[in-house]
Amino acid sequence: MVLKPASATPLTALALAEILHESGVARGVFNVVVGKRSSPLAEEFLRHPKVRKIAFTGSTEVGRS
């Protein structure tokens, strides 16, 4: 699983990753990608053949893109 949090709140996702690791979830099962520009990441996720499902929460503008 890969989580790309909102650029305004990346620490929440990083804390969640740490909690999961401390609880025994193996590294690499839950991943966090941070950055201010999500377009390049979204394009990679949409085009990569190993990505089977994408879910997101966000604005209508983000959903349309």
Side-chain angles (χ1 to χ4, degrees):
M1 174 184 211
V2 178
L3 172 63
K4 182 353 189 140
S7 59
T9 59
L11 296 180
T12 303
L14 294 172
L16 177 59
E18 185 61 26
I19 290 167
L20 289 171
H21 176 67
E22 288 177 4
S23 68
V25 174
R27 290 204 186 271
V29 173
F30 181 82
N31 304 280
V32 179
V33 178
V34 295
K36 291 184 179 185
R37 296 187 56 223
S38 57
S39 296
L41 293 171
E43 288 182 32
E44 181 64 27
F45 290 145
L46 290 170
R47 293 188 177 152
H48 199 287
K50 289 189 176 183
V51 175
R52 296 176 52 192
K53 185 179 282 190
I54 296 175
F56 66 92
T57 59
S59 66
T60 301
E61 180 182 336
V62 170
R64 285 185 183 136
S65 67

